[in-house]
Amino acid sequence: MMFNFGSIYFYFYLRVRALVKWFLRKTTNLCELQRICYGKPVGFVRTDSVEYSLLYSQIPEIQLMIKTLNGIAERRRFSGRNQKIVLEQSVKTILIVKQVKPNIHKQFIVSLTRCFEHIWGYKQLVHEVESLRLTTFDSSNEDHEDKLQRLWQALMPDIPLETRITKQWQDIGFQGDDPKTDFRGMGMLGLENLLYFAEEYTNAARHVHLHSIHPKYGYAFAIVGINLTSMVYNLLKDGSAKTHIYNACKSLPSIRAFHQLYSCLFYEFDKFWIESKPKDVMEFSNIRNQFETNIRDALTNPSTVFHINFVVDTI
């Protein structure tokens, strides 16, 4: 007879955890979620602990609440009045189940609501980002074409495009005469990232673009940008980006939070690339992988947040 020691360990872990929670509830007169919200600092540390507590809750009402919230996030319905109603109902569920008196623990309600915004805002953001990634760039779509034109204008304001299909696109780092072929891997997400960086942080983006055409350390700006979109996308999908997102966002994380993280990491990668003094672009994969390792290491620190604070230097 074979034993699944992992399952046995997990079973006893849950039993011991339940016993510890019961003991602390009796001695502090506070449930675990209250102890977290009152005892842990706002941001990743608090939200991650709340998320963990909810995940391993054995209470049917809480399990149903989680399932409901996951469905709303998947349908991307956390917005406007619906967001307010859903959050109020969810927090009310916790208050009833945990027998928390709302007139006494008003700060707990505020803190728990923010944690809920973080947790399910992040889940909704994952679905929104995935939708953009799966949206193929379509030349017949006026909105897609307009965004592509805006990208050129933001980076090259003094040089007009001669025509839609032109080698000029290579001047901002696309591979050929038509950028649409370069968006295949990341879809519209790649273009949306590049455009946000170029329009919201124009000076920084142009500075990075100048580095990309450096005679010695140059690289393909747009192609590298799309590659970095893939990196940030993976950080979001596997949950590594929660550290930054939970620390950076004061309320519901939106697509803007993803674009800001991307912009910051693109700027940081450019600095890392220049400081690495590559012999040629053949070193890109190694330098890019080392950069990602550094970012992932940074995100293991629960206080990490990448600030949008660009300082334009010269080389």
Side-chain angles (χ1 to χ4, degrees):
M1 181 178 180
M2 296 182 64
F3 292 94
N4 188 331
F5 289 103
S7 297
I8 294 173
Y9 169 81
F10 186 66
Y11 171 80
F12 280 106
Y13 166 77
L14 290 178
R15 293 301 179 187
V16 172
R17 184 172 183 275
L19 182 61
V20 171
K21 287 174 62 179
W22 175 85
F23 176 77
L24 290 174
R25 178 66 186 257
K26 290 297 183 181
T27 55
T28 65
N29 203 31
L30 298 172
C31 71
E32 183 177 50
L33 291 173
Q34 287 176 291
R35 297 194 299 272
I36 292 170
C37 288
Y38 288 143
K40 293 184 181 295
V42 65
F44 173 77
V45 174
R46 179 185 294 172
T47 302
D48 185 62
S49 297
V50 166
E51 190 171 12
Y52 182 87
S53 177
L54 293 172
L55 179 65
Y56 288 103
S57 175
Q58 301 298 303
I59 300 174
E61 292 88 344
I62 292 181
Q63 293 177 340
L64 177 60
M65 180 197 74
I66 292 172
K67 183 178 180 180
T68 300
L69 290 172
N70 286 344
I72 293 172
E74 185 175 357
R75 296 191 301 274
R76 290 184 281 164
R77 295 293 305 279
F78 274 109
S79 62
R81 180 169 174 75
N82 187 61
Q83 173 187 329
K84 183 175 184 294
I85 293 173
V86 168
L87 290 174
E88 287 179 350
Q89 291 176 340
S90 299
V91 171
K92 185 177 180 180
T93 296
I94 297 297
L95 296 178
I96 294 172
V97 169
K98 298 295 184 179
Q99 299 181 343
V100 177
K101 296 180 180 179
N103 59 322
I104 297 177
H105 296 283
K106 294 179 181 180
Q107 185 55 49
F108 169 66
I109 294 174
V110 173
S111 299
L112 187 63
T113 299
R114 174 177 288 189
C115 290
F116 277 25
E117 285 182 317
H118 281 165
I119 295 166
W120 279 281
Y122 189 96
K123 291 178 184 292
Q124 178 169 269
L125 178 58
V126 170
H127 291 296
E128 185 173 0
V129 165
E130 182 67 17
S131 177
L132 280 173
R133 187 186 72 85
L134 294 176
T135 301
T136 303
F137 181 89
D138 183 359
S139 297
S140 65
N141 187 310
E142 292 183 4
D143 181 59
H144 292 188
E145 282 294 319
D146 178 64
K147 288 176 178 177
L148 185 59
Q149 295 289 332
R150 283 163 51 194
L151 175 62
W152 175 270
Q153 291 165 9
L155 294 173
M156 308 287 278
D158 300 323
I159 304 176
L161 278 172
E162 296 171 355
T163 182
R164 169 62 178 79
I165 309 297
T166 172
K167 292 187 181 297
Q168 283 180 286
W169 290 113
Q170 297 175 32
D171 295 340
I172 60 172
F174 287 103
Q175 290 181 320
D177 299 350
D178 191 347
K180 72 176 184 180
T181 58
D182 294 323
F183 293 122
R184 287 173 182 167
M186 287 290 111
M188 282 299 293
L189 182 63
L191 177 54
E192 295 273 6
N193 271 168
L194 286 169
L195 182 60
Y196 186 92
F197 184 35
E199 289 191 333
E200 295 297 321
Y201 304 105
T202 304
N203 289 338
R206 290 177 183 173
H207 172 72
V208 171
H209 175 248
L210 283 176
H211 278 184
S212 76
I213 58 176
H214 189 275
K216 186 174 182 180
Y217 302 130
Y219 56 85
F221 176 90
I223 296 301
V224 168
I226 295 170
N227 189 286
L228 291 175
T229 290
S230 176
M231 185 191 81
V232 183
Y233 164 78
N234 287 325
L235 292 174
L236 185 78
K237 286 279 286 186
D238 66 25
S240 299
K242 285 181 180 179
T243 311
H244 166 81
I245 297 293
Y246 289 172
N247 286 331
C249 296
K250 294 183 178 180
S251 58
L252 193 83
S254 66
I255 191 64
R256 183 169 177 265
F258 181 81
H259 290 322
Q260 286 182 333
L261 176 59
Y262 167 84
S263 299
C264 184
L265 294 187
F266 197 163
Y267 187 79
E268 290 300 319
F269 174 79
D270 176 71
K271 289 199 298 183
F272 186 74
W273 173 266
I274 298 298
E275 290 168 0
S276 298
K277 293 181 169 51
K279 294 179 181 178
D280 52 48
V281 293
M282 297 301 291
E283 293 191 48
F284 174 76
S285 292
N286 289 335
I287 292 175
R288 188 268 192 199
N289 290 341
Q290 183 57 57
F291 177 74
E292 180 173 352
T293 297
N294 293 349
I295 295 302
R296 288 187 175 278
D297 287 344
L299 288 169
T300 61
N301 183 335
S303 64
T304 291
V305 57
F306 297 105
H307 294 288
I308 309 298
N309 183 24
F310 297 121
V311 178
V312 176
D313 300 317
T314 57
I315 61 170

mmCIF file of all heavy atoms in Angstrom, residues 217-234:
data_model
loop_
_atom_site.group_PDB
_atom_site.id
_atom_site.type_symbol
_atom_site.label_atom_id
_atom_site.label_comp_id
_atom_site.label_asym_id
_atom_site.label_seq_id
_atom_site.Cartn_x
_atom_site.Cartn_y
_atom_site.Cartn_z
ATOM 1 N N TYR A 217 26.015 50.095 -28.886
ATOM 2 C CA TYR A 217 25.153 49.308 -28.013
ATOM 3 C C TYR A 217 23.692 49.276 -28.477
ATOM 4 O O TYR A 217 22.788 49.016 -27.690
ATOM 5 C CB TYR A 217 25.202 49.866 -26.583
ATOM 6 C CG TYR A 217 26.586 49.883 -25.987
ATOM 7 C CD1 TYR A 217 27.098 51.036 -25.393
ATOM 8 C CD2 TYR A 217 27.397 48.747 -26.020
ATOM 9 C CE1 TYR A 217 28.369 51.057 -24.842
ATOM 10 C CE2 TYR A 217 28.672 48.753 -25.484
ATOM 11 C CZ TYR A 217 29.155 49.920 -24.891
ATOM 12 O OH TYR A 217 30.417 49.931 -24.351
ATOM 13 N N GLY A 218 23.473 49.538 -29.729
ATOM 14 C CA GLY A 218 22.110 49.610 -30.237
ATOM 15 C C GLY A 218 21.375 48.271 -30.244
ATOM 16 O O GLY A 218 21.980 47.201 -30.187
ATOM 17 N N TYR A 219 20.052 48.369 -30.307
ATOM 18 C CA TYR A 219 19.185 47.180 -30.380
ATOM 19 C C TYR A 219 17.873 47.606 -31.026
ATOM 20 O O TYR A 219 17.631 48.801 -31.238
ATOM 21 C CB TYR A 219 18.937 46.592 -28.982
ATOM 22 C CG TYR A 219 18.355 47.569 -27.989
ATOM 23 C CD1 TYR A 219 16.982 47.800 -27.896
ATOM 24 C CD2 TYR A 219 19.194 48.283 -27.121
ATOM 25 C CE1 TYR A 219 16.451 48.695 -26.986
ATOM 26 C CE2 TYR A 219 18.672 49.185 -26.203
ATOM 27 C CZ TYR A 219 17.310 49.393 -26.142
ATOM 28 O OH TYR A 219 16.785 50.280 -25.236
ATOM 29 N N ALA A 220 17.039 46.651 -31.377
ATOM 30 C CA ALA A 220 15.767 46.942 -32.033
ATOM 31 C C ALA A 220 14.735 47.346 -30.980
ATOM 32 O O ALA A 220 14.195 46.497 -30.266
ATOM 33 C CB ALA A 220 15.286 45.735 -32.827
ATOM 34 N N PHE A 221 14.446 48.634 -30.885
ATOM 35 C CA PHE A 221 13.575 49.183 -29.846
ATOM 36 C C PHE A 221 12.231 48.446 -29.767
ATOM 37 O O PHE A 221 11.843 47.946 -28.709
ATOM 38 C CB PHE A 221 13.348 50.678 -30.115
ATOM 39 C CG PHE A 221 12.385 51.343 -29.169
ATOM 40 C CD1 PHE A 221 12.839 51.926 -28.000
ATOM 41 C CD2 PHE A 221 11.027 51.404 -29.462
ATOM 42 C CE1 PHE A 221 11.961 52.547 -27.121
ATOM 43 C CE2 PHE A 221 10.138 52.023 -28.598
ATOM 44 C CZ PHE A 221 10.605 52.597 -27.421
ATOM 45 N N ALA A 222 11.492 48.397 -30.862
ATOM 46 C CA ALA A 222 10.153 47.810 -30.844
ATOM 47 C C ALA A 222 10.193 46.304 -30.561
ATOM 48 O O ALA A 222 9.383 45.793 -29.781
ATOM 49 C CB ALA A 222 9.441 48.072 -32.166
ATOM 50 N N ILE A 223 11.127 45.607 -31.177
ATOM 51 C CA ILE A 223 11.228 44.158 -30.977
ATOM 52 C C ILE A 223 11.573 43.839 -29.532
ATOM 53 O O ILE A 223 10.995 42.944 -28.911
ATOM 54 C CB ILE A 223 12.262 43.542 -31.937
ATOM 55 C CG1 ILE A 223 11.809 43.709 -33.384
ATOM 56 C CG2 ILE A 223 12.482 42.067 -31.616
ATOM 57 C CD1 ILE A 223 10.475 43.071 -33.693
ATOM 58 N N VAL A 224 12.512 44.587 -28.957
ATOM 59 C CA VAL A 224 12.867 44.396 -27.550
ATOM 60 C C VAL A 224 11.672 44.745 -26.672
ATOM 61 O O VAL A 224 11.369 44.057 -25.694
ATOM 62 C CB VAL A 224 14.093 45.255 -27.175
ATOM 63 C CG1 VAL A 224 14.276 45.292 -25.660
ATOM 64 C CG2 VAL A 224 15.349 44.687 -27.833
ATOM 65 N N GLY A 225 10.957 45.806 -27.045
ATOM 66 C CA GLY A 225 9.774 46.187 -26.282
ATOM 67 C C GLY A 225 8.726 45.090 -26.259
ATOM 68 O O GLY A 225 8.113 44.817 -25.217
ATOM 69 N N ILE A 226 8.494 44.452 -27.385
ATOM 70 C CA ILE A 226 7.520 43.357 -27.453
ATOM 71 C C ILE A 226 8.015 42.148 -26.650
ATOM 72 O O ILE A 226 7.237 41.459 -25.993
ATOM 73 C CB ILE A 226 7.239 42.972 -28.921
ATOM 74 C CG1 ILE A 226 6.552 44.139 -29.635
ATOM 75 C CG2 ILE A 226 6.382 41.713 -29.009
ATOM 76 C CD1 ILE A 226 6.434 43.980 -31.136
ATOM 77 N N ASN A 227 9.316 41.915 -26.697
ATOM 78 C CA ASN A 227 9.901 40.836 -25.903
ATOM 79 C C ASN A 227 9.703 41.090 -24.410
ATOM 80 O O ASN A 227 9.388 40.170 -23.646
ATOM 81 C CB ASN A 227 11.395 40.708 -26.224
ATOM 82 C CG ASN A 227 12.034 39.480 -25.603
ATOM 83 O OD1 ASN A 227 12.271 39.443 -24.407
ATOM 84 N ND2 ASN A 227 12.312 38.480 -26.427
ATOM 85 N N LEU A 228 9.846 42.348 -24.004
ATOM 86 C CA LEU A 228 9.635 42.698 -22.600
ATOM 87 C C LEU A 228 8.156 42.605 -22.217
ATOM 88 O O LEU A 228 7.825 42.318 -21.068
ATOM 89 C CB LEU A 228 10.170 44.100 -22.319
ATOM 90 C CG LEU A 228 11.700 44.227 -22.385
ATOM 91 C CD1 LEU A 228 12.120 45.678 -22.218
ATOM 92 C CD2 LEU A 228 12.370 43.352 -21.329
ATOM 93 N N THR A 229 7.277 42.836 -23.184
ATOM 94 C CA THR A 229 5.849 42.616 -22.933
ATOM 95 C C THR A 229 5.626 41.163 -22.529
ATOM 96 O O THR A 229 4.875 40.871 -21.593
ATOM 97 C CB THR A 229 5.006 42.926 -24.187
ATOM 98 O OG1 THR A 229 5.019 44.335 -24.424
ATOM 99 C CG2 THR A 229 3.563 42.473 -24.021
ATOM 100 N N SER A 230 6.286 40.250 -23.216
ATOM 101 C CA SER A 230 6.175 38.829 -22.893
ATOM 102 C C SER A 230 6.660 38.556 -21.474
ATOM 103 O O SER A 230 6.034 37.792 -20.725
ATOM 104 C CB SER A 230 6.991 38.003 -23.897
ATOM 105 O OG SER A 230 6.983 36.633 -23.554
ATOM 106 N N MET A 231 7.758 39.208 -21.082
ATOM 107 C CA MET A 231 8.301 39.010 -19.747
ATOM 108 C C MET A 231 7.329 39.501 -18.671
ATOM 109 O O MET A 231 7.029 38.797 -17.700
ATOM 110 C CB MET A 231 9.638 39.740 -19.595
ATOM 111 C CG MET A 231 10.314 39.485 -18.261
ATOM 112 S SD MET A 231 11.728 40.578 -17.962
ATOM 113 C CE MET A 231 10.854 42.047 -17.406
ATOM 114 N N VAL A 232 6.799 40.719 -18.853
ATOM 115 C CA VAL A 232 5.891 41.293 -17.857
ATOM 116 C C VAL A 232 4.587 40.501 -17.814
ATOM 117 O O VAL A 232 3.993 40.300 -16.751
ATOM 118 C CB VAL A 232 5.626 42.785 -18.146
ATOM 119 C CG1 VAL A 232 4.743 43.395 -17.060
ATOM 120 C CG2 VAL A 232 6.945 43.560 -18.225
ATOM 121 N N TYR A 233 4.147 40.034 -18.970
ATOM 122 C CA TYR A 233 2.948 39.188 -19.053
ATOM 123 C C TYR A 233 3.128 37.929 -18.217
ATOM 124 O O TYR A 233 2.237 37.538 -17.453
ATOM 125 C CB TYR A 233 2.691 38.830 -20.522
ATOM 126 C CG TYR A 233 1.737 37.676 -20.744
ATOM 127 C CD1 TYR A 233 0.365 37.839 -20.632
ATOM 128 C CD2 TYR A 233 2.223 36.407 -21.084
ATOM 129 C CE1 TYR A 233 -0.510 36.774 -20.844
ATOM 130 C CE2 TYR A 233 1.371 35.341 -21.295
ATOM 131 C CZ TYR A 233 0.000 35.526 -21.168
ATOM 132 O OH TYR A 233 -0.860 34.464 -21.373
ATOM 133 N N ASN A 234 4.290 37.297 -18.324
ATOM 134 C CA ASN A 234 4.550 36.079 -17.553
ATOM 135 C C ASN A 234 4.644 36.364 -16.059
ATOM 136 O O ASN A 234 4.203 35.548 -15.239
ATOM 137 C CB ASN A 234 5.836 35.404 -18.049
ATOM 138 C CG ASN A 234 5.654 34.742 -19.407
ATOM 139 O OD1 ASN A 234 4.599 34.210 -19.714
ATOM 140 N ND2 ASN A 234 6.687 34.788 -20.241
#
